[in-house]
Amino acid sequence: MSDLLYRYRKTFGPGILFACTAIGVSHLVQSTRAGAEFGFMILGFVILANVLKYPFFEHGSRYANVTGTSIIDGYEKLGRKFLILYLGITLGSMFFVTAAVGFVTAGFFENLFQIDFLGIWTMVLLFAICGVILCIGKFGTLDGIIKVIGFVLIISTVTAFVLALINGPVEPNENFLPRDLWNDSGIFFLIALMGWMPTAIDLSSWNSLWTIARIKQTGFRPKLKETLTEFRIGYLVTSLMAIFFLGLGTLVFFGSGESLPNNNSMFAHKIVTMFADTIGQWSYIIIAASAFSVMFGTILAVFDGYSRSFQKIIQLLQKKESDDSRKSYVAIVCILAIGSILIIMQFGDKLKELVDFATTLSFLVAPIIAVLNHKLVIGKFLPKDTQPSVWIKGLSMCGIVFLTGFALFFIYTKFF
């Protein structure tokens, strides 16, 4: 038993990092909005997205454990053109995704410290702090911070959901009319919701990079079963949390006629107030600190994930043996911060529009990443005894059909 605990203690990290990264914009913002605007009628889509996107995240962890390399290395094995395609996807999404996460984080920062006069300088300050932490500590610091700050919000969310369930849903407004899911705006939100439910499929490459980093950090090579078990625990946690946030949005807001604000700090205040009204006003400062901490952990992970990915892509394109250069990592972090701030300045105070754009973009490129990941773990690149089970392979195929179908449906609805 002691040996088993030792092995899992050495293995734990990437899955927890994945869970706490996902419990950010997709949960605090999108899941809560989904419940507030559509109620439990949208629950099926949340569950469906979590189930059908699962294989593509597992593929990243599986590939990293079996080969000892990231799934980005695998894209090069599929052909240089696929690596360049992934580079294009990364460049096309990284600034918008980081901007969306940063903008939400700034809102929870301003709410926690009760400031509303810094404006864009809040983002500059946060991004600078992220850059310093990552450039000094890299994975070890990130891994340690994430494990600490995720725990309180998870406990708080479960507690708030149970209490809201016991107290029952909000008293409906007599003039309330449920929002139509099947008009243009409803479909746009549905795609945006599923884009980061539980998170963007791009993150599968980050998970493989974090798996490799964890092995390097500990000097311990887990068995495939141990890596997959650790990831599955993290994935289960983030999927359940999405349902809890959807439930809170439904029980506290749906039917009340009250909408969530578009301003990032006011939105953050509304979310924290929702928890405090459910648990008790004494919890406001604890929830405010926890929510900001989780979002700060998310933005740290986003900076690290994109920087690692971009660094790895450039290394492979230049055919270098390795590139762990701190200078290149720092340079990518700085470029990402500057580009994201410029995006935020373009969107002004429109939180929902920025988040919806970033999440929709992630959903539209998801089928490409899904197909690449599927080819790498189902084909000739992994030994037969390390490939997924039949039901995971089948689920992977269903996921590709689901993602492709919805993406085409959205494009048709939007442009034709």
Side-chain angles (χ1 to χ4, degrees), residues 105-127:
T105 306
F108 282 95
F109 175 84
E110 291 172 352
N111 174 72
L112 175 62
F113 295 102
Q114 297 296 299
I115 55 174
D116 58 2
F117 55 85
L118 292 180
I120 195 67
W121 293 106
T122 304
M123 261 70 73
V124 174
L125 175 63
L126 285 173
F127 286 1

mmCIF file of all heavy atoms in Angstrom, residues 105-127:
data_model
loop_
_atom_site.group_PDB
_atom_site.id
_atom_site.type_symbol
_atom_site.label_atom_id
_atom_site.label_comp_id
_atom_site.label_asym_id
_atom_site.label_seq_id
_atom_site.Cartn_x
_atom_site.Cartn_y
_atom_site.Cartn_z
ATOM 1 N N THR A 105 -9.831 37.104 -15.125
ATOM 2 C CA THR A 105 -8.986 37.126 -13.928
ATOM 3 C C THR A 105 -8.907 38.521 -13.345
ATOM 4 O O THR A 105 -8.983 38.717 -12.122
ATOM 5 C CB THR A 105 -7.568 36.614 -14.254
ATOM 6 O OG1 THR A 105 -7.647 35.333 -14.867
ATOM 7 C CG2 THR A 105 -6.723 36.507 -12.994
ATOM 8 N N ALA A 106 -8.764 39.526 -14.222
ATOM 9 C CA ALA A 106 -8.693 40.918 -13.766
ATOM 10 C C ALA A 106 -9.975 41.329 -13.048
ATOM 11 O O ALA A 106 -9.937 42.069 -12.056
ATOM 12 C CB ALA A 106 -8.439 41.842 -14.958
ATOM 13 N N GLY A 107 -11.110 40.830 -13.540
ATOM 14 C CA GLY A 107 -12.377 41.134 -12.885
ATOM 15 C C GLY A 107 -12.430 40.608 -11.459
ATOM 16 O O GLY A 107 -12.857 41.310 -10.537
ATOM 17 N N PHE A 108 -11.971 39.375 -11.251
ATOM 18 C CA PHE A 108 -11.969 38.800 -9.910
ATOM 19 C C PHE A 108 -10.913 39.456 -9.023
ATOM 20 O O PHE A 108 -11.089 39.560 -7.806
ATOM 21 C CB PHE A 108 -11.752 37.285 -9.980
ATOM 22 C CG PHE A 108 -12.992 36.538 -10.374
ATOM 23 C CD1 PHE A 108 -13.237 36.192 -11.700
ATOM 24 C CD2 PHE A 108 -13.941 36.188 -9.424
ATOM 25 C CE1 PHE A 108 -14.394 35.527 -12.068
ATOM 26 C CE2 PHE A 108 -15.104 35.513 -9.780
ATOM 27 C CZ PHE A 108 -15.332 35.181 -11.111
ATOM 28 N N PHE A 109 -9.824 39.927 -9.629
ATOM 29 C CA PHE A 109 -8.802 40.683 -8.889
ATOM 30 C C PHE A 109 -9.375 42.000 -8.381
ATOM 31 O O PHE A 109 -9.219 42.359 -7.205
ATOM 32 C CB PHE A 109 -7.597 40.925 -9.795
ATOM 33 C CG PHE A 109 -6.528 41.795 -9.182
ATOM 34 C CD1 PHE A 109 -5.560 41.247 -8.350
ATOM 35 C CD2 PHE A 109 -6.478 43.162 -9.441
ATOM 36 C CE1 PHE A 109 -4.576 42.050 -7.791
ATOM 37 C CE2 PHE A 109 -5.496 43.968 -8.887
ATOM 38 C CZ PHE A 109 -4.542 43.408 -8.048
ATOM 39 N N GLU A 110 -10.044 42.735 -9.268
ATOM 40 C CA GLU A 110 -10.638 44.017 -8.895
ATOM 41 C C GLU A 110 -11.735 43.841 -7.857
ATOM 42 O O GLU A 110 -11.898 44.662 -6.947
ATOM 43 C CB GLU A 110 -11.186 44.713 -10.142
ATOM 44 C CG GLU A 110 -10.099 45.183 -11.100
ATOM 45 C CD GLU A 110 -10.647 45.700 -12.413
ATOM 46 O OE1 GLU A 110 -11.862 45.559 -12.646
ATOM 47 O OE2 GLU A 110 -9.854 46.234 -13.212
ATOM 48 N N ASN A 111 -12.498 42.749 -7.975
ATOM 49 C CA ASN A 111 -13.553 42.489 -6.992
ATOM 50 C C ASN A 111 -12.962 42.171 -5.627
ATOM 51 O O ASN A 111 -13.446 42.656 -4.604
ATOM 52 C CB ASN A 111 -14.425 41.324 -7.459
ATOM 53 C CG ASN A 111 -15.443 40.903 -6.422
ATOM 54 O OD1 ASN A 111 -16.415 41.610 -6.170
ATOM 55 N ND2 ASN A 111 -15.224 39.763 -5.789
ATOM 56 N N LEU A 112 -11.911 41.362 -5.604
ATOM 57 C CA LEU A 112 -11.296 40.968 -4.335
ATOM 58 C C LEU A 112 -10.725 42.164 -3.593
ATOM 59 O O LEU A 112 -10.926 42.318 -2.383
ATOM 60 C CB LEU A 112 -10.205 39.925 -4.592
ATOM 61 C CG LEU A 112 -9.370 39.497 -3.374
ATOM 62 C CD1 LEU A 112 -10.261 38.836 -2.323
ATOM 63 C CD2 LEU A 112 -8.245 38.548 -3.804
ATOM 64 N N PHE A 113 -10.012 43.028 -4.323
ATOM 65 C CA PHE A 113 -9.344 44.159 -3.685
ATOM 66 C C PHE A 113 -10.146 45.460 -3.758
ATOM 67 O O PHE A 113 -9.656 46.518 -3.362
ATOM 68 C CB PHE A 113 -7.950 44.353 -4.303
ATOM 69 C CG PHE A 113 -7.022 43.202 -4.023
ATOM 70 C CD1 PHE A 113 -6.758 42.248 -5.002
ATOM 71 C CD2 PHE A 113 -6.436 43.052 -2.775
ATOM 72 C CE1 PHE A 113 -5.910 41.176 -4.750
ATOM 73 C CE2 PHE A 113 -5.583 41.989 -2.515
ATOM 74 C CZ PHE A 113 -5.319 41.046 -3.496
ATOM 75 N N GLN A 114 -11.381 45.339 -4.300
ATOM 76 C CA GLN A 114 -12.300 46.483 -4.340
ATOM 77 C C GLN A 114 -11.670 47.704 -5.007
ATOM 78 O O GLN A 114 -11.690 48.816 -4.470
ATOM 79 C CB GLN A 114 -12.760 46.837 -2.928
ATOM 80 C CG GLN A 114 -13.558 45.733 -2.235
ATOM 81 C CD GLN A 114 -14.887 45.444 -2.948
ATOM 82 O OE1 GLN A 114 -15.731 46.305 -3.062
ATOM 83 N NE2 GLN A 114 -15.039 44.218 -3.428
ATOM 84 N N ILE A 115 -11.112 47.480 -6.203
ATOM 85 C CA ILE A 115 -10.546 48.586 -6.977
ATOM 86 C C ILE A 115 -11.199 48.597 -8.350
ATOM 87 O O ILE A 115 -11.517 47.557 -8.915
ATOM 88 C CB ILE A 115 -9.010 48.459 -7.134
ATOM 89 C CG1 ILE A 115 -8.632 47.103 -7.744
ATOM 90 C CG2 ILE A 115 -8.310 48.637 -5.792
ATOM 91 C CD1 ILE A 115 -7.162 46.965 -8.045
ATOM 92 N N ASP A 116 -11.410 49.777 -8.874
ATOM 93 C CA ASP A 116 -12.023 49.876 -10.205
ATOM 94 C C ASP A 116 -11.449 51.023 -11.020
ATOM 95 O O ASP A 116 -12.077 51.509 -11.949
ATOM 96 C CB ASP A 116 -13.544 50.038 -10.076
ATOM 97 C CG ASP A 116 -13.935 51.269 -9.255
ATOM 98 O OD1 ASP A 116 -13.026 52.006 -8.815
ATOM 99 O OD2 ASP A 116 -15.145 51.478 -9.068
ATOM 100 N N PHE A 117 -10.238 51.439 -10.673
ATOM 101 C CA PHE A 117 -9.664 52.607 -11.340
ATOM 102 C C PHE A 117 -8.405 52.302 -12.146
ATOM 103 O O PHE A 117 -7.848 53.172 -12.784
ATOM 104 C CB PHE A 117 -9.328 53.692 -10.301
ATOM 105 C CG PHE A 117 -8.434 53.216 -9.184
ATOM 106 C CD1 PHE A 117 -7.058 53.207 -9.325
ATOM 107 C CD2 PHE A 117 -8.985 52.761 -7.996
ATOM 108 C CE1 PHE A 117 -6.242 52.762 -8.300
ATOM 109 C CE2 PHE A 117 -8.167 52.307 -6.966
ATOM 110 C CZ PHE A 117 -6.795 52.308 -7.112
ATOM 111 N N LEU A 118 -7.956 51.048 -12.122
ATOM 112 C CA LEU A 118 -6.711 50.720 -12.823
ATOM 113 C C LEU A 118 -6.931 50.462 -14.315
ATOM 114 O O LEU A 118 -6.023 50.655 -15.115
ATOM 115 C CB LEU A 118 -6.051 49.502 -12.177
ATOM 116 C CG LEU A 118 -5.498 49.696 -10.761
ATOM 117 C CD1 LEU A 118 -4.877 48.405 -10.259
ATOM 118 C CD2 LEU A 118 -4.476 50.830 -10.734
ATOM 119 N N GLY A 119 -8.132 49.984 -14.687
ATOM 120 C CA GLY A 119 -8.414 49.724 -16.090
ATOM 121 C C GLY A 119 -7.470 48.699 -16.679
ATOM 122 O O GLY A 119 -7.224 47.626 -16.104
ATOM 123 N N ILE A 120 -6.896 49.016 -17.829
ATOM 124 C CA ILE A 120 -6.005 48.094 -18.528
ATOM 125 C C ILE A 120 -4.762 47.774 -17.715
ATOM 126 O O ILE A 120 -4.138 46.720 -17.886
ATOM 127 C CB ILE A 120 -5.615 48.679 -19.907
ATOM 128 C CG1 ILE A 120 -5.005 47.589 -20.802
ATOM 129 C CG2 ILE A 120 -4.653 49.843 -19.741
ATOM 130 C CD1 ILE A 120 -5.976 46.517 -21.210
ATOM 131 N N TRP A 121 -4.425 48.655 -16.763
ATOM 132 C CA TRP A 121 -3.225 48.432 -15.956
ATOM 133 C C TRP A 121 -3.387 47.240 -15.016
ATOM 134 O O TRP A 121 -2.405 46.670 -14.555
ATOM 135 C CB TRP A 121 -2.874 49.692 -15.174
ATOM 136 C CG TRP A 121 -2.437 50.809 -16.088
ATOM 137 C CD1 TRP A 121 -3.131 51.922 -16.430
ATOM 138 C CD2 TRP A 121 -1.197 50.872 -16.807
ATOM 139 N NE1 TRP A 121 -2.415 52.689 -17.320
ATOM 140 C CE2 TRP A 121 -1.221 52.063 -17.570
ATOM 141 C CE3 TRP A 121 -0.075 50.043 -16.887
ATOM 142 C CZ2 TRP A 121 -0.160 52.434 -18.399
ATOM 143 C CZ3 TRP A 121 0.982 50.419 -17.716
ATOM 144 C CH2 TRP A 121 0.933 51.594 -18.455
ATOM 145 N N THR A 122 -4.629 46.856 -14.734
ATOM 146 C CA THR A 122 -4.850 45.637 -13.954
ATOM 147 C C THR A 122 -4.302 44.439 -14.705
ATOM 148 O O THR A 122 -3.626 43.572 -14.135
ATOM 149 C CB THR A 122 -6.353 45.426 -13.682
ATOM 150 O OG1 THR A 122 -6.899 46.565 -13.038
ATOM 151 C CG2 THR A 122 -6.567 44.198 -12.800
ATOM 152 N N MET A 123 -4.602 44.384 -16.023
ATOM 153 C CA MET A 123 -4.096 43.286 -16.841
ATOM 154 C C MET A 123 -2.570 43.319 -16.938
ATOM 155 O O MET A 123 -1.906 42.283 -16.870
ATOM 156 C CB MET A 123 -4.707 43.349 -18.243
ATOM 157 C CG MET A 123 -5.868 42.418 -18.473
ATOM 158 S SD MET A 123 -7.366 42.894 -17.579
ATOM 159 C CE MET A 123 -7.889 44.320 -18.511
ATOM 160 N N VAL A 124 -2.023 44.518 -17.090
ATOM 161 C CA VAL A 124 -0.564 44.656 -17.177
ATOM 162 C C VAL A 124 0.087 44.134 -15.899
ATOM 163 O O VAL A 124 1.087 43.391 -15.944
ATOM 164 C CB VAL A 124 -0.174 46.134 -17.416
ATOM 165 C CG1 VAL A 124 1.344 46.305 -17.353
ATOM 166 C CG2 VAL A 124 -0.704 46.621 -18.760
ATOM 167 N N LEU A 125 -0.485 44.508 -14.766
ATOM 168 C CA LEU A 125 0.059 44.065 -13.476
ATOM 169 C C LEU A 125 -0.024 42.546 -13.337
ATOM 170 O O LEU A 125 0.959 41.889 -12.964
ATOM 171 C CB LEU A 125 -0.710 44.736 -12.340
ATOM 172 C CG LEU A 125 -0.350 44.292 -10.911
ATOM 173 C CD1 LEU A 125 1.094 44.633 -10.597
ATOM 174 C CD2 LEU A 125 -1.286 44.950 -9.894
ATOM 175 N N LEU A 126 -1.186 41.977 -13.653
ATOM 176 C CA LEU A 126 -1.361 40.528 -13.533
ATOM 177 C C LEU A 126 -0.428 39.770 -14.456
ATOM 178 O O LEU A 126 0.198 38.773 -14.064
ATOM 179 C CB LEU A 126 -2.810 40.156 -13.835
ATOM 180 C CG LEU A 126 -3.850 40.477 -12.763
ATOM 181 C CD1 LEU A 126 -5.246 40.197 -13.287
ATOM 182 C CD2 LEU A 126 -3.594 39.667 -11.501
ATOM 183 N N PHE A 127 -0.354 40.218 -15.698
ATOM 184 C CA PHE A 127 0.509 39.535 -16.666
ATOM 185 C C PHE A 127 1.974 39.635 -16.263
ATOM 186 O O PHE A 127 2.753 38.696 -16.467
ATOM 187 C CB PHE A 127 0.299 40.114 -18.061
ATOM 188 C CG PHE A 127 -1.008 39.696 -18.711
ATOM 189 C CD1 PHE A 127 -1.905 38.884 -18.049
ATOM 190 C CD2 PHE A 127 -1.340 40.130 -19.985
ATOM 191 C CE1 PHE A 127 -3.101 38.490 -18.632
ATOM 192 C CE2 PHE A 127 -2.530 39.744 -20.596
ATOM 193 C CZ PHE A 127 -3.414 38.924 -19.903
#
